Amino acid sequence: ISEEKSFKYLIIGGGVAAGYAAREFVKQGLKPGELAIISKEAVAPYERPALSKAYLFPEGAVRLPGFNVCVGSGGERLLPEWYVEKGIELILSTEIIKADLDSKILTSAAGMKYSYDILIIATGSRALRLTEFGVHGADAKNIFYLREISDADKLVEEIRAKKKGKVVVVGGGYIGLEVGAAMRINQFDVTIVYREQLFMARLFTREIAAFYEAYYENKGIKLIKGTAAVAFDSGANGEVKAVKLKDGRVLEADIVVAGVGAKPLIELFEGQLDKAKDGIKTDGFFETDDPDVYAVGDVATFPIKLYDDMRRVEHVDHARKSAEQAVKVIKASEENRSIPEYDCLPYFYSRVFNLSWSFYGDNVGNPVLFGDNNPASAKPKFGTAWIKNGKIVGVFLEGGTAEENKAIAQIARVQPPAEKYLDQLRKGDYFFA
Ligand code: FAD
């Protein structure tokens, strides 16, 4: 006989969005016992971006509770005790395998049932696997993906076991670049293989990519572009030992880390909620077409007012802000108040070695490079402005200070005329907006 528990508010998923939602519920006024968070992971919500950065460092690595939310945005760390104190039930190591939105019941793998008045979907994404691309031998041991803390722990264990060994990183996106850098810091022999002709091809221009590629090569990282891993060989112990590339090359490997994309986790709601693009369709309040169900973070496809477009955004800043918005809406509607629609300014960032970049806005139109992008400079600082219809609609900056990054966010928000302001950027003045 399965047990059942009831909550006024239930969050499925215990990642970034869930943690920020919990904090917002408390800010807005929450009674003990009203809220539960159900998470497949064994730990309280944490700042996921740390997993491909300082979590992997050989010295001074971050560990929980050091990066529980909301420390990543300068807030208080919410430790497991905080949830207890606030009467929020953290239901960990629990995977929901069925969601019946008509009867408002979620069922866990262990057969527990959880009913709700209001549901917030915050299931995030999962890493795509090389097996899904038909890569032969991709089920070998020592091929790693990075999404959850348990993935990072397995990688850390293997970094220790294969000290200064050879790693092949598959993928030239966020994960590939951050893990590639972290493995080099661990003194591994690192090769990054990617299909595209440039790093971070969805965002970087040729000039931006050229800077980071040269920087990586100066650090002793080998780059192989324009080809893909098509097969893996493993030894008698089942561990990967070689990567075969489409162009015929074979690379030795003790460890492979793949960062080949992510997919929003929305299968549980298939046929029950409207979809848009590959996510759950919401309005600017993160309401789905079921009045009692909200979707936030990676899974939501929502209207971006600034660009009059429906988009899904897989980034931490949006996960935090969308969660807060949904909770504000839930509380406001209980009190018959209205709140403004979500007004997202896309923001992406990354940090590797001594580098740190930020991008705000839209990378459409004509990109114009400014600053010193010589990878051999002692302190390179450069950026790119994207110009569309005569306006600056997106700005990228490497090496900016916190104030400068705020200033470029403002530029992307205000969209000033390029003719008048591009020269300011060239002169290193970011504060005109
Ligand atoms: P998540 O944080 O992924 O949380 C989803 C949670 O739901 C997980 O705990 C998962 O276990 C749980 N879950 C899923 N399905 C179920 C189920 N059926 N039952 C129970 N629980 C379930 N973004 C940036 O902007 N900058 C970065 O530098 C950056 N670095 C990143 C590095 C890594 C390694 C990764 C993986 C992501 C990174 N991101 C970065 C992206 C960012 O972390 C995500 O966009 C953000 O975490 C999304 O938040 P979320 O709450 O929607 O999902």
Side-chain angles (χ1 to χ4, degrees):
I1 302 165
S2 62
E3 278 185 75
E4 185 170 325
K5 281 188 160 189
S6 293
F7 299 95
K8 183 169 180 190
Y9 313 111
L10 189 55
I11 303 177
I12 170 171
V16 174
Y20 280 76
R23 183 178 67 168
E24 191 61 33
F25 267 119
V26 169
K27 268 193 204 163
Q28 300 276 333
L30 183 77
K31 295 197 189 86
E34 282 186 334
L35 171 65
I37 296 174
I38 304 181
S39 180
K40 191 155 67 62
E41 291 186 88
V43 295
Y46 59 89
E47 304 282 1
R48 195 165 305 285
L51 295 183
S52 50
K53 304 178 181 70
Y55 201 82
L56 303 177
F57 288 176
E59 275 157 39
V62 294
R63 287 291 177 271
L64 288 177
F67 64 107
N68 276 120
V69 300
C70 302
V71 74
S73 57
E76 182 198 347
R77 268 187 302 151
L78 309 183
L79 307 182
E81 304 86 271
W82 179 87
Y83 296 87
V84 177
E85 202 181 287
K86 303 296 175 197
I88 299 169
E89 199 159 334
L90 260 188
I91 303 168
L92 301 177
S93 305
T94 300
E95 184 176 10
I96 295 300
I97 54 162
K98 189 172 169 226
D100 183 341
L101 302 187
D102 280 339
S103 54
K104 304 174 95 170
I105 291 176
L106 307 184
T107 309
S108 75
M112 270 294 293
K113 293 194 187 298
Y114 303 93
S115 65
Y116 61 84
D117 295 335
I118 300 278
L119 177 68
I120 301 180
I121 302 172
T123 41
S125 309
R126 70 170 176 83
L128 288 175
R129 309 230 144 210
L130 290 164
T131 42
E132 295 173 70
F133 298 93
V135 180
H136 186 74
D139 51 357
K141 284 189 204 152
N142 284 0
I143 299 181
F144 296 97
Y145 301 87
L146 205 51
R147 183 75 211 179
E148 301 193 338
I149 201 158
S150 54
D151 303 321
D153 285 337
K154 284 184 223 151
L155 179 57
V156 166
E157 202 177 297
E158 219 45 37
I159 289 173
R160 288 187 186 136
K162 296 283 188 299
K163 264 195 174 66
K164 300 185 186 178
K166 289 191 165 71
V167 60
V168 174
V169 175
V170 181
Y174 261 111
I175 304 278
L177 299 201
E178 292 185 356
V179 174
M183 295 303 278
R184 190 70 196 122
I185 295 168
N186 278 287
Q187 298 183 32
F188 270 70
D189 175 321
V190 181
T191 305
I192 307 180
V193 179
Y194 46 110
R195 278 177 191 272
E196 302 80 10
Q197 287 302 329
L198 56 160
F199 270 2
M200 294 282 298
R202 280 196 289 174
L203 173 63
F204 286 3
T205 62
R206 198 160 294 281
E207 286 131 328
I208 298 176
F211 167 83
Y212 293 99
E213 288 170 356
Y215 193 97
Y216 272 54
E217 285 174 330
N218 289 345
K219 291 278 180 194
I221 295 176
K222 285 161 269 180
L223 307 180
I224 302 184
K225 43 175 96 172
T227 190
V230 289
F232 297 100
D233 278 345
S234 44
N237 58 5
E239 288 185 3
V240 68
K241 60 175 195 187
V243 184
K244 290 184 180 160
L245 305 184
K246 197 171 179 182
D247 66 10
R249 274 182 273 189
V250 179
L251 310 172
E252 281 178 40
D254 301 305
I255 295 179
V256 169
V257 184
V260 290
K263 192 172 184 255
L265 283 168
I266 60 168
E267 287 88 348
L268 286 172
F269 312 99
E270 203 71 59
Q272 302 187 78
L273 293 174
D274 272 358
K275 281 170 52 177
K277 302 197 169 158
D278 54 351
I280 297 171
K281 185 177 176 187
T282 76
D283 59 16
F285 303 99
F286 297 101
E287 294 164 323
T288 68
D289 61 322
D290 178 326
D292 300 321
V293 180
Y294 293 73
V296 296
D298 281 9
V299 295
T301 303
F302 62 97
I304 300 216
K305 260 170 76 169
L306 199 54
Y307 309 128
D308 193 19
D309 193 13
M310 292 290 289
R311 291 192 195 170
R312 208 167 59 69
V313 175
E314 274 179 15
H315 293 281
V316 73
D317 181 59
H318 160 71
R320 296 168 180 154
K321 290 181 176 154
S322 59
E324 290 168 352
Q325 169 80 352
V327 174
K328 283 182 188 145
V329 173
I330 291 167
K331 289 306 233 178
S333 60
E334 286 171 2
E335 295 157 14
N336 281 322
R337 284 184 289 117
S338 62
I339 67 159
E341 221 178 315
Y342 189 60
D343 191 5
C344 172
L345 174 71
Y347 163 44
F348 316 137
Y349 72 89
S350 184
R351 289 180 206 116
V352 288
F353 299 115
N354 287 327
L355 303 174
S356 165
W357 60 259
S358 294
F359 168 81
Y360 293 88
D362 217 7
N363 59 323
V364 293
N366 183 30
V368 180
L369 182 77
F370 57 85
D372 168 20
N373 70 331
N374 180 353
S377 291
K379 225 179 169 330
K381 185 167 179 181
F382 71 98
T384 293
W386 277 262
I387 317 295
K388 192 182 167 197
N389 300 332
K391 293 177 183 166
I392 303 175
V393 295
V395 188
F396 174 97
L397 186 61
E398 165 59 49
T401 61
E403 289 74 33
E404 288 167 343
N405 288 335
K406 258 193 209 157
I408 64 161
Q410 184 65 5
I411 298 171
R413 167 76 69 191
V414 174
Q415 304 189 342
E419 202 184 345
K420 196 158 167 207
Y421 291 108
L422 203 51
D423 266 350
Q424 308 277 104
L425 285 176
R426 288 198 179 103
K427 286 182 203 144
D429 170 14
Y430 313 118
F431 293 93
F432 52 84

